[in-house]
């Protein structure tokens, strides 16, 4: 398998972007990534998107984006894995380059959620339609169940959950692409409108429009492009039961554990080797479970670990320096690649005020549904 | 890049399958393919599907199918490229095995179209939502425009178009999995209800439920499984403008030409080396354009070539021995893999009454939209 590096990155601002359509968003991010890479062509494209069909009445967006990017006839396909569509697009593109079939591949993600669609229903299609959605459960409800179970099993407090949102907004303030770049306090989180008890609106990631892209290439090409070489040293993906009720323990996200294990094994790394991580904080409780299941802290200790500041920018393991899904925004298909944009900035040393000192190894974790799928990548700066 | 073979195939009957849900269909095809391969596990899965979100309110079907197949935690992702989603799933799985990351990969496709959704709208999302669908154009209309242009440019007759449907139904009669396994006459085609002039209902592929799966593996594993080894010797994909109006010549499907060129180059083959082909006859005119753009006959001569019987089972180049989309049925995401099922049967010599004599090299061509994407694979029996 060939060694592969991220050679270019680009993203739009995340937010309610009424002036830009689905295709506008993707093309903006793609042009930025191509420009950043300094390449004169791409060999192929992967577009991650969860449900452009339900959001804006458009499927077939691999071909659409190739056309509007002016890249046709290059091969293009869309990859979907609910909110982990972006991460899976990177993984699919990785395999194409790793196989030796192609050299320069664009991997991206996009979602246009603010365009009049029934967002709650559209997102619910990532859950089990027959056994969950039909009964009226939606994602805030599913994650609230996880939160209650976690509180019950490990004594996690609501204050600890709130600490995730407070921390991510603090980081997001320093991200010019963030949808909500403003500080929030613990009290504001706790006293905000309850969406699904115990989760308040300030513990739920927002509805966002946006796109993010990255260009990947074999390391020999990366070395010629004049930027720090950010190698992708591990990829892992895994699945779990689609329905929450079918799991032995809903406080453990088995797909996160399994995908991390595969990526760590491939990379020859352990959790302690990671200098920073972007993880899928779709709800405050998600980040708590994920940092436990990635092995950054003991099972059940994620709340305490967060409350103590260990996941802040100058903590033991900075998590979501970008602001995460909560503050940066969560255009679902774009999220997995926006994570790649952040870790690439961090490893290049160009993350500005958000910069983690001496960052050399970073991890991204992108999740679908209530954890039915997860994809982890590990990146290392070539020195 | 490693050499890869198809080691197992399975499909459901295609049709209006009211007793089976989306997940039932996929699991049935997957179990058949696993059983046919004789493997005791799979390393990963790709599920091709066009729009399960619009058809049955379910996205995230990579994880869903892994779960219901009992395969979780194996990695799974959905691939979408409109009606070429199945072929693209094979291509994505091919890269994963070719890279050396995984050995035994399940690639499948599924669609459940008869479940109450607005099928015409759902399918139209494969066209340009902003410049075509919004104006009221749907696929029969787009292909009717291609048909009229072809008739005008090359003198193609309606009788010649009808010959495609007659031939494919003749083949489909011999396929136990076909949705419409019955003969039709040229007169019946010409006198049937007009859908979009000149195309009648007997020139349009039907609305179908169904699934198809294949297992692929490196050739060393294939050789141990005791079945004829069917190598995948070429893969090619390409895109074109999403909207028909943006093309210089709507009678030429450039994505078909480009994807074929890439696959032929990789395989070291030419059109004359192909013993049989499964192509994307979503409408009668599509098969005419495709056999021209694949190089089986001269541009503009596809109608005459078909009318003369050259694409019949004992013709120069048998096309759609399975019955094609027209007679076998077209559950859109499943079609690309159903093509693989047919060519594998043919190359194994197990196609029964449909068997093409001495078939050694076969081609599949799967298309999305009005030709905005196309994917071609070439298969060769290892002797």
């Amino acid at each position: 398998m060939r060694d592969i590096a991220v050679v270019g990155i680009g993203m739009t601002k995340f937010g309610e972007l009424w002036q830009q359509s689905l295709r506008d968003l993707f093309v903006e991010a793609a042009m930025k990534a191509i420009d950043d890479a300094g390449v004169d062509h791409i060999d192929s494209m992967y577009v991650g998107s969860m449900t452009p069909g339900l959001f804006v009445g458009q499927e077939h967006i691999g071909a659409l984006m190739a056309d509007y990017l002016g890249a046709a006839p290059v091969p293009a396909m869309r990859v979907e894995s609910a909110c982990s569509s972006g991460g899976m697009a990177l993984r699919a593109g990785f395999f194409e380059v790793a196989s030796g079939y192609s050299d320069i591949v664009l991997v991206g993600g996009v979602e246009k959620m603010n365009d009049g669609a029934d967002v709650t229903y559209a997102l619910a299609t990532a859950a089990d339609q027959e056994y969950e959605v039909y009964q009226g459960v939606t994602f805030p409800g599913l994650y609230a169940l996880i939160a209650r179970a976690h509180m019950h099993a490990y004594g996690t407090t609501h204050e600890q959950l709130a600490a995730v949102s407070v921390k991510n907004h603090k980081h997001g303030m320093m991200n010019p692409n963030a949808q909500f770049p403003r500080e929030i306090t613990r009290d504001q989180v706790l006293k905000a409108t309850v969406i699904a008890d115990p989760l308040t609106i300030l513990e739920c990631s927002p509805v966002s429009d946006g796109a993010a892209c990255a260009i990947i290439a074999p390391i020999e090409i990366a070395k010629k492009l004049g930027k720090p070489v950010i190698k992708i040293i591990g990829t892992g993906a895994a699945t779990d039961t689609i329905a929450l009720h079918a799991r032995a323990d809903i406080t453990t996200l088995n797909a996160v554990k399994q995908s991390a294990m595969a990526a760590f094994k491939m990379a020859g790394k352990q959790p302690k080797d990671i200098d920073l991580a972007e993880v899928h904080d779709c709800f405050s409780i998600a980040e708590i479970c994920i940092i436990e299941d990635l092995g950054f802290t003991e099972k059940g200790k994620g709340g305490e670990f967060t409350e103590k500041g260990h996941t802040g920018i100058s903590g033991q393991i900075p998590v979501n320096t970008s602001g995460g899904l909560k503050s940066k925004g969560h255009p679902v298909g774009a999220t997995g690649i926006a994570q790649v944009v952040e870790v690439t900035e961090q490893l290049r040393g160009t993350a500005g005020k958000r910069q983690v000192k001496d960052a050399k190894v970073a991890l991204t974790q992108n999740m679908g549904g209530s954890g039915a799928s997860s994809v982890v990548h590990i990146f290392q700066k070539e020195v």
Side-chain angles (χ1 to χ4, degrees), chain A:
Chain A
M1 206 183 302
R2 306 202 288 178
D3 281 341
I4 297 171
V6 178
V7 300
I9 48 170
M11 68 180 283
T12 65
K13 189 175 165 52
F14 283 0
E16 292 187 23
L17 307 174
W18 301 100
Q19 306 303 320
Q20 286 171 287
S21 69
L22 182 77
R23 63 189 78 180
D24 294 339
L25 292 168
F26 188 85
V27 169
E28 180 188 324
M31 294 297 283
K32 283 178 175 169
I34 291 168
D35 192 47
D36 180 56
V39 292
D40 61 4
H41 76 285
I42 54 170
D43 294 328
S44 138
M45 295 172 49
Y46 289 84
V47 181
S49 192
M50 180 184 155
T51 184
L54 287 168
F55 283 130
V56 297
Q58 179 74 67
E59 306 281 7
H60 206 190
I61 67 169
L64 175 80
M65 298 311 177
D67 180 14
Y68 275 78
L69 186 58
V74 302
M77 68 174 98
R78 170 180 161 221
V79 162
E80 185 265 318
S81 186
C83 302
S84 61
S85 299
M88 288 296 196
L90 169 60
R91 183 173 162 90
F94 179 91
F95 290 141
E96 181 167 341
V97 180
S99 76
Y101 186 91
S102 292
D103 285 331
I104 302 175
V105 173
L106 187 149
V107 295
V110 63
E111 213 82 53
K112 177 78 185 162
M113 300 169 75
N114 293 294
D115 218 35
D118 179 347
V119 174
T120 301
Y121 170 73
L123 290 174
T125 62
D128 188 318
Q129 202 275 337
E130 297 183 17
Y131 293 99
E132 292 181 325
V133 187
Y134 186 78
Q135 315 299 330
V137 188
T138 58
F139 278 102
L142 290 167
Y143 277 94
L145 290 170
I146 297 176
R148 278 283 170 223
H150 204 279
M151 290 162 123
H152 179 76
Y154 305 111
T156 302
T157 65
H158 199 184
E159 286 72 15
Q160 290 170 346
L161 296 181
V164 171
S165 300
V166 172
K167 183 256 304 171
N168 288 348
H169 271 266
K170 197 170 161 190
H171 295 173
M173 269 184 68
M174 299 178 277
N175 186 347
N177 290 318
Q179 180 169 8
F180 294 116
R182 60 184 80 110
E183 258 190 298
I184 56 174
T185 67
R186 195 181 73 169
D187 268 13
Q188 285 175 316
V189 177
L190 296 175
K191 288 177 183 160
T193 306
V194 176
I195 298 296
D197 185 69
L199 305 176
T200 72
I201 197 165
L202 291 178
E203 294 173 86
C204 305
S205 55
V207 172
S208 318
D209 306 327
C213 287
I215 312 282
I216 59 173
I219 199 139
E220 302 71 40
I221 292 181
K223 284 181 176 166
K224 291 180 192 153
L225 292 171
K227 285 209 167 62
V229 173
I230 312 301
K231 273 180 72 175
I232 304 171
I233 58 173
T235 178
T239 52
D240 197 352
T241 66
I242 187 110
L244 205 58
H245 63 244
R247 298 182 197 162
D249 170 14
I250 66 170
T251 66
T252 294
L253 296 167
N254 193 46
V256 176
K257 287 181 84 154
Q258 299 284 338
S259 56
M261 215 181 294
F264 280 128
K265 190 179 168 193
M266 182 176 171
K269 299 283 181 195
Q270 296 183 328
K272 67 172 173 51
D273 301 322
I274 305 299
D275 296 321
L276 77 139
E278 287 286 303
V279 311
H280 200 91
D281 62 314
C282 47
F283 296 92
S284 54
I285 182 61
E287 182 168 316
I288 300 290
C289 293
I290 292 164
I291 61 173
E292 294 169 356
D293 296 331
L294 289 175
F296 294 146
T297 181
E298 237 176 286
K299 189 73 216 168
K301 300 284 188 195
E304 192 185 322
F305 193 75
T306 304
E307 207 173 28
K308 284 186 174 161
H310 295 324
T311 52
I313 284 180
S314 7
Q316 280 178 33
I317 166 77
V319 172
N320 285 330
T321 53
S322 69
L325 285 54
K326 177 63 198 78
S327 163
K328 184 180 49 186
H330 182 31
V332 289
T335 284
I337 302 293
Q339 294 178 329
V340 176
V341 170
E342 178 67 11
V343 300
T344 302
E345 293 274 26
Q346 289 283 358
L347 296 179
R348 283 180 178 175
T350 54
K353 290 184 193 168
R354 308 188 309 281
Q355 186 64 47
V356 172
K357 222 181 139 195
D358 298 328
K360 287 187 188 66
V361 183
L363 176 149
T364 57
Q365 183 276 332
N366 188 202
M367 192 154 73
S370 54
S373 55
S374 173
V375 53
V376 170
H377 285 94
I378 300 175
F379 304 79
Q380 182 167 276
K381 182 180 184 165
E382 184 100 335
V383 281

